[in-house]
């Protein structure tokens, strides 16, 4: 049973879409016509995509009837778990009442106004405005345009450059991918665009050498100061970072990192942007990752957990300091047809109410996370194949190492982690491989029994990988 109260009335038996064709037929149809994101199409089509049929709580089922523990919450988004019927009901009601209307030309609707007020209520002090997008990527594109417009409005149009981080992830649009520090993305299509530069990521395990995590955290943060001085502070618009890097492999910065970043942004008058697309809405055990680390950002990019992934919606939360300038500056020539879409807004608002009323974030932080962290460390701290065991809120990660004591990593670590990911998948556990790490971000509503299953299944899978590599008998 999940942490959230279960919907108790019996569900009508349903004819699931997946049952209309065989798995092979779905795979053939998919291979013939669907280009998947971030995929090697030929390799995928040769193997056939796993067909996900339906979901409930922390589980998804495939078309072969396998019940799979989804320890990635879809794609870091299904924070309240699958199958919450209230959200489906709100969506259906809203589609019947007002399926769409835009907010461009002096109109609004109750759903977007209500969601905005709810966001102002749950966001940190001073965040009273929101600009809507459909995704995190569009949110970060909005950030680029917004910070440049802000500075231009203040008579400093030369303040254009945005400093981001290597191995950060900010999405896949041209702006988002440019802010991101993924070189394999930059290689395709001449990115980053001008005016975006990258500094070192705060990854002590990889880059810390002989420094303590705390000393290294200061060093990594001071790369920002060095870059500002190199560019000239008068040319720098903003610094952007994920409080915890998600897609980069759950990189948890040393405790000294964010306070020093904050000091530097304050000292040089640079806008601080927290990309909360993954960290927001509970992943760290706080509503926002910025609160966990005590960061005081000017803008926060949001998406994913805003609607728990039930419908696409994202945006940028804007601090009063920036909002005041934007409001006085006249037209901001930016927006999307579906900015603040009424159905997505209604679903997001219901999702926020569920998070709030059921105290899902607080219960995860106070009652569950300490227990699951203990399980995670007990399972992996002494594991011969695992070097860096990390967790924070409901982020869980482990890095494979050739030699534990010296933090020596495998030359083919990426391939080994992918093999580990495949073993998990074959054993009905969804984790993700990033470089030489295996990572997880389960739904916030995982029960104790489900948490025990998650960790013990992860351990069995890593043991299997260790046996294949000769690290365990
Ligand atoms: C931190 C962060 N920012 C932005 C994005 C992009 O969001 P989307 O895929 O909704 O465009 C992601 C997606 O994973 C993300 O993790």
């Amino acid at each position: 049973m999940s942490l959230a109260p279960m919907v108790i009335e019996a569900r009508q038996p349903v004819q699931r879409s997946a049952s209309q064709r065989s798995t092979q037929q779905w795979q053939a149809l998919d291979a013939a016509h669907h280009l998947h994101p971030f995929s090697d199409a030929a390799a995928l089509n040769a193997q056939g995509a796993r067909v996900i049929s339906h979901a409930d709580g922390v589980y998804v089922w495939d078309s072969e009837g396998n019940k799979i523990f989804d320890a990635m919450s879809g794609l870091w988004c299904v924070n309240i778990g699958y199958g919450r019927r209230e959200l489906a009901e709100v969506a259906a009601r809203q589609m019947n009442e007002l399926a769409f209307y835009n907010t461009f030309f002096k109109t609004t609707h109750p759903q977007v106004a209500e969601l905005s007020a709810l966001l102002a209520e749950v966001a940190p002090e001073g965040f009273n405005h929101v600009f809507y997008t459909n995704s995190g990527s569009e949110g970060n594109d909005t950030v680029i345009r917004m910070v440049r417009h802000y500075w231009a409005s203040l008579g400093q149009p030369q303040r254009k450059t945005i400093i981001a981080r290597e191995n950060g992830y900010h999405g896949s649009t041209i702006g988002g991918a440019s802010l991101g520090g993924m070189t394999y993305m930059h290689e395709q299509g001449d990115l980053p665009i001008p005016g975006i530069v990258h500094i070192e990521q705060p990854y002590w395990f990889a880059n810390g050498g002989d420094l303590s995590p705390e000393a290294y955290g200061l060093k990594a943060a001071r790369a920002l100061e060095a870059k500002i001085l190199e560019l000239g502070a008068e040319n720098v618009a903003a610094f952007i970072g994920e409080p915890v890097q998600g897609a980069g492999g759950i990189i948890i910065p040393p405790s000294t990192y964010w306070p020093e970043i904050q000091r530097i942004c304050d000292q040089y008058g640079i806008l601080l942007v927290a990309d909360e697309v993954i960290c927001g809405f509970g992943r760290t055990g706080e509503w926002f990752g910025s609160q966990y680390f005590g960061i005081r950002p000017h803008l926060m990019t949001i998406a994913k957990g805003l609607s728990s992934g039930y419908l696409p919606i994202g945006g940028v939360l804007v601090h009063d300091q920036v909002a005041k300038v934007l409001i006085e500056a006249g037209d901001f020539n930016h927006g999307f047809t579906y900015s603040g879409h009424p159905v997505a807004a209604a679903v997001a608002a219901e999702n926020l109410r569920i998070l709030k009323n059921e105290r899902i974030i607080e219960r995860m932080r106070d009652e569950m996370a300490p227990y699951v962290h203990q399980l995670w460390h007990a399972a992996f701290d002494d594991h011969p194949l695992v070097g860096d065991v990390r967790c924070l809120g409901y982020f869980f990660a482990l890095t494979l190492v050739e030699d534990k004591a010296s933090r020596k990593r495998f030359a083919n670590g990426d391939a080994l982690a992918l093999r580990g990911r495949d073993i998990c998948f074959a054993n009905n556990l969804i984790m993700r491989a990033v470089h030489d790490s295996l990572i997880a971000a389960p739904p916030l509503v995982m029960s104790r029994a489900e948490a025990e299953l998650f960790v013990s299944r992860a351990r069995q899978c890593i043991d299997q990988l260790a046996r294949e590599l000769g690290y365990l008998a």
Side-chain angles (χ1 to χ4, degrees):
M1 186 149 129
S2 291
L3 196 64
M6 300 290 281
V7 176
I8 41 177
E9 73 260 44
R11 294 186 181 201
Q12 295 299 316
V14 283
Q15 168 82 0
R16 298 193 197 288
S17 320
S19 66
Q20 290 163 9
R21 295 175 200 261
S22 70
T23 301
Q24 291 72 22
Q25 286 170 329
W26 285 121
Q27 288 171 330
L29 207 58
D30 191 73
H33 303 292
H34 177 196
L35 289 171
H36 287 240
F38 286 96
S39 299
D40 174 338
L44 174 66
N45 292 346
Q47 192 186 352
R50 199 161 177 173
V51 181
I52 302 302
S53 152
H54 60 286
D56 196 27
V58 300
Y59 294 102
V60 297
W61 279 257
D62 70 12
S63 51
E64 296 292 292
N66 291 301
K67 181 180 177 183
I68 310 164
F69 195 110
D70 182 10
M72 278 309 300
S73 302
L75 207 44
W76 319 85
C77 49
V78 188
N79 290 9
I80 64 166
Y82 296 96
R84 290 297 299 247
R85 208 186 261 188
E86 304 92 312
L87 270 60
E89 283 162 3
V90 161
R93 205 182 316 131
Q94 187 57 42
M95 279 193 193
N96 283 320
E97 189 173 307
L98 178 70
F100 174 73
Y101 203 72
N102 75 74
T103 51
F104 281 31
F105 308 119
K106 300 187 178 177
T107 53
T108 190
H109 48 74
Q111 290 67 38
V112 77
E114 178 134 17
L115 175 62
S116 307
L118 265 173
L119 278 168
E121 199 186 301
V122 300
E125 177 92 28
F127 281 90
N128 289 302
H129 291 85
V130 56
F131 190 102
Y132 290 101
T133 67
N134 305 291
S135 67
S137 301
E138 288 175 7
N140 284 323
D141 278 36
T142 299
V143 161
I144 298 173
R145 301 207 60 207
M146 199 178 261
V147 299
R148 289 179 175 173
H149 178 55
Y150 168 86
W151 285 115
S153 304
L154 288 177
Q156 300 186 53
Q158 83 291 346
R159 268 200 193 254
K160 283 199 173 59
T161 303
I162 301 175
I163 303 175
R165 302 180 302 182
E166 291 160 3
N167 197 39
Y169 187 79
H170 300 293
S172 191
T173 50
I174 286 178
S178 292
L179 289 173
M182 303 293 182
T183 45
Y184 66 94
M185 292 175 76
H186 293 167
E187 281 160 13
Q188 298 180 338
D190 291 336
L191 301 178
I193 55 172
I196 294 174
V197 297
H198 297 87
I199 57 169
E200 148 177 20
Q201 59 173 328
Y203 189 12
W204 173 79
F205 189 77
N207 305 331
D210 294 334
L211 294 176
S212 67
E214 293 73 25
Y216 173 70
L218 289 177
K219 176 175 176 279
R222 287 179 190 153
L224 173 61
E225 189 160 36
K227 185 57 82 179
I228 291 170
L229 293 173
E230 177 194 321
L231 296 165
E234 69 285 3
N235 298 313
V236 180
F239 169 74
I240 184 168
E242 304 154 77
V244 172
Q245 286 158 258
I250 304 192
I251 311 297
I252 302 171
S255 62
T256 48
Y257 181 76
W258 277 114
E260 185 66 359
I261 291 282
Q262 182 76 58
R263 180 208 45 94
I264 294 165
C265 289
D266 290 348
Q267 181 171 334
Y268 295 95
I270 309 296
L271 293 180
L272 176 49
V273 184
D275 183 337
E276 295 271 4
V277 167
I278 285 179
C279 290
F281 308 101
R283 179 64 49 202
T284 66
E286 303 290 338
W287 276 87
F288 295 92
S290 296
Q291 293 164 314
Y292 181 92
F293 288 104
I295 310 166
R296 287 175 280 103
H298 297 91
L299 301 173
M300 298 198 291
T301 320
I302 53 174
K304 297 192 189 272
L306 168 58
S307 64
S308 282
Y310 279 61
L311 276 179
I313 182 166
V316 181
L317 282 166
V318 183
H319 190 274
D320 293 348
Q321 181 188 328
V322 176
K324 183 173 183 297
V325 174
L326 296 178
I327 289 165
E328 286 169 6
D331 281 338
F332 180 35
N333 302 320
H334 177 66
F336 305 97
T337 298
Y338 301 130
S339 287
H341 190 287
V343 183
V347 166
E350 185 63 16
N351 172 60
L352 296 188
R353 280 188 213 104
I354 289 174
L355 281 172
K356 205 167 113 207
N357 296 345
E358 295 179 13
R359 301 186 60 254
I360 287 173
I361 298 170
E362 294 79 1
R363 288 161 69 196
M364 178 274 255
R365 180 192 62 200
D366 300 336
E367 294 164 28
M368 286 294 297
Y371 176 60
V372 195
H373 291 184
Q374 196 190 317
L375 291 178
W376 192 250
H377 279 290
F380 294 111
D381 277 354
D382 296 328
H383 199 285
L385 191 58
V386 176
D388 192 21
V389 182
R390 48 196 189 276
C391 43
L392 185 161
Y394 266 11
F395 283 111
F396 299 89
L398 33 97
T399 299
L400 306 177
V401 281
E402 191 171 339
D403 180 60
K404 235 173 144 66
S406 63
R407 311 205 310 252
K408 182 165 187 269
R409 295 161 79 178
F410 289 102
N412 61 341
D414 292 23
L416 297 182
L418 280 173
R419 173 69 195 138
R421 194 269 319 264
D422 288 346
I423 292 172
C424 290
F425 216 24
N427 286 282
N428 293 329
L429 173 66
I430 297 179
M431 289 186 52
R432 183 163 156 185
V434 181
H435 304 300
D436 51 2
S437 291
L438 280 150
I439 64 173
L444 310 185
V445 295
M446 187 168 65
S447 68
R448 276 175 95 85
E450 287 163 346
E452 286 159 9
L453 181 71
F454 155 52
V455 178
S456 68
R457 204 174 276 181
R459 169 72 202 231
Q460 284 161 18
C461 293
I462 300 301
D463 281 356
Q464 184 178 329
L465 180 64
R467 278 195 297 276
E468 287 181 9
L469 298 173
Y471 276 70
L472 281 179

